């Protein structure tokens, strides 16, 4: 899975914000504010990856338990899927 092509992330007021550009902006008209954890996952989702690799990235970066990492990944993936941001 990966983020659909057509999103850019910029720093706005010290926060990371993802917005759609080009043709995708006709389909997705919002913006997504990313905290540090979400930004790490977003960056990893620029390449095809899976939930296990994402959870491992959180464990390595933040020294969290595997259960916490898996729950955080599941929550974010669910939100991105619901918004139609992930490629099928």
């Amino acid at each position: 899975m990966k983020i659909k092509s057509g999103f850019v992330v910029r720093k706005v007021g010290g926060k990371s914000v993802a917005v759609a550009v080009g043709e995708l902006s006709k389909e997705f008209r919002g913006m997504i504010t990313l905290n540090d954890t979400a930004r790490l996952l977003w960056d990893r989702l620029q390449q095809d990856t899976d939930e296990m690799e994402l959870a491992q990235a959180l464990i390595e970066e933040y020294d969290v338990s595997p259960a916490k990492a898996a729950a955080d990944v599941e929550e974010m993936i669910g939100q991105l899927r619901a918004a139609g941001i992930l490629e099928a």
Side-chain angles (χ1 to χ4, degrees):
M1 85 187 106
K2 66 186 259 187
I3 299 289
K4 285 183 180 177
S5 160
F7 283 94
V8 296
V9 176
R10 298 286 187 259
K11 283 281 194 179
V12 177
K15 296 185 183 228
S16 294
V17 178
V19 294
V21 295
E23 287 295 313
L24 190 59
S25 66
K26 295 176 184 176
E27 181 182 321
F28 185 87
R29 297 182 185 228
M31 73 172 131
I32 304 160
T33 303
L34 304 167
N35 64 18
D36 291 340
T37 303
R39 176 64 192 262
L40 173 74
L41 296 176
W42 183 278
D43 290 345
R44 296 290 175 116
L45 284 163
Q46 296 304 306
Q47 305 296 319
D48 194 28
T49 189
D50 63 31
E51 292 184 33
M52 191 174 352
E53 290 173 344
L54 294 171
Q56 187 60 41
L58 290 181
I59 292 166
E60 291 171 5
E61 183 70 23
Y62 296 107
D63 194 29
V64 296
S65 71
K68 173 69 172 146
D72 287 352
V73 167
E74 183 178 333
E75 180 180 353
M76 183 166 174
I77 295 302
Q79 291 173 352
L80 294 176
R81 279 197 176 116
I85 294 172
L86 292 177
E87 288 184 357

